[in-house]
Amino acid sequence: KDRAAVSAACIALARLGATNESAAALLDLGIVKTLSKLVPSRPTVKHNMTASVKGALMWSDAQQMERLPPSFFRLLGSLARIPDGIEDIQATGLLKRCVERITMGSGDNHDIAVKTEIALIISRCANTYSPEFGSSTDLILTSKYKAVSTHLLLLNPTHCRRTRYAAASAIRALCEDLTRGVPTVVTEAPPSGALSAIPAVVAIVGEAEVPHPLLRQCLDTLFL
């Protein structure tokens, strides 16, 4: 309930989980299940509800999701560095909630910081499959979430290096799926003010001073 305390705890744990070994230790403590309790359950919308009731439910859900601090998602990203972390994030429904979160927000600094961390989560969770939860890439690329469009906006030069790197990493990871990822990334219409995927990546490669980590993600995308 104390947002500042939760945020501080999450950033501390994210730093503690910055190696495979420490992330595994946190997972052994059941940290993902604990984190899932901080996330509101998605409201159930019934067919006999009026439009106004449905709208109120979804608005309330968005308000609660938007209050989660960026450090919460950074911690999830740290845990997603190993397969057990990815599995736990999927099993608790947190990956789906992350993907839903990218459809929300006003685009302010807080929102961009959250979406930066979610892009890194997506870059680590993409291209995984389990009999119980199916394909993570199929979930991420569900058309209603417009994940590619969000990442294209985050590539904008006005954003910081970390944000652009996170977006490029997510796009590169999605393009590893040649049958599902590449066609969606290439064909999804860009949002207003953004280039489509291939021109956007090529434009970054052509910039005068591109940070090497960002350049590597872009070149990997073009040569997959």
Side-chain angles (χ1 to χ4, degrees):
K1 293 183 180 180
D2 187 331
R3 293 176 62 191
V6 169
S7 180
C10 285
I11 196 65
L13 290 169
R15 290 169 178 167
L16 285 172
T19 68
N20 289 359
E21 293 77 8
S22 57
L26 290 175
L27 291 169
D28 288 342
L29 295 173
I31 190 171
V32 176
K33 186 175 181 180
T34 300
L35 291 173
S36 69
K37 296 177 182 178
L38 300 176
V39 179
S41 299
R42 196 173 192 280
T44 301
V45 177
K46 299 179 180 179
H47 70 279
N48 59 347
M49 288 180 174
T50 64
S52 61
V53 171
K54 292 178 183 178
L57 280 175
M58 300 311 295
W59 180 86
S60 176
D61 179 59
Q63 290 296 301
Q64 294 179 72
M65 287 296 295
E66 289 171 26
R67 281 196 290 268
L68 290 171
S71 57
F72 172 88
F73 297 96
R74 181 175 290 197
L75 175 53
L76 286 181
S78 291
L79 300 173
R81 68 178 63 254
I82 58 176
D84 286 347
I86 294 172
E87 184 176 336
D88 284 356
I89 289 168
Q90 287 184 297
T92 53
L94 285 174
L95 178 60
K96 185 174 183 179
R97 294 261 67 188
C98 286
V99 177
E100 290 171 344
R101 174 61 179 85
I102 63 177
T103 67
M104 306 170 185
S106 61
D108 60 12
N109 290 339
H110 170 87
D111 186 48
I112 295 300
V114 166
K115 289 175 180 176
T116 296
E117 303 305 332
I118 292 176
L120 290 170
I121 293 169
I122 287 174
S123 72
R124 291 174 177 171
C125 290
N127 307 305
T128 57
Y129 178 86
S130 72
E132 186 175 359
F133 307 110
S135 166
S136 62
T137 301
D138 284 346
L139 168 63
I140 294 163
L141 292 178
T142 301
S143 59
K144 65 181 179 180
Y145 298 133
K146 300 292 183 182
V148 175
S149 294
T150 297
H151 293 133
L152 292 176
L153 284 173
L154 296 179
L155 289 176
N156 193 296
T158 59
H159 292 308
C160 69
R161 291 183 177 187
R162 179 179 172 81
T163 295
R164 301 183 78 200
Y165 170 81
S169 296
I171 291 173
R172 190 267 310 155
L174 293 170
C175 285
E176 290 181 18
D177 185 334
L178 300 181
T179 59
R180 179 76 168 90
V182 169
T184 304
V185 169
V186 171
T187 60
E188 185 166 314
S192 177
L195 296 171
S196 57
I198 298 303
V201 172
V202 171
I204 292 173
V205 173
E207 290 177 7
E209 296 183 6
V210 187
H212 285 180
L214 174 58
L215 179 61
R216 184 174 66 250
Q217 297 302 320
C218 292
L219 290 176
D220 284 349
T221 299
L222 293 174
F223 288 100
L224 280 172

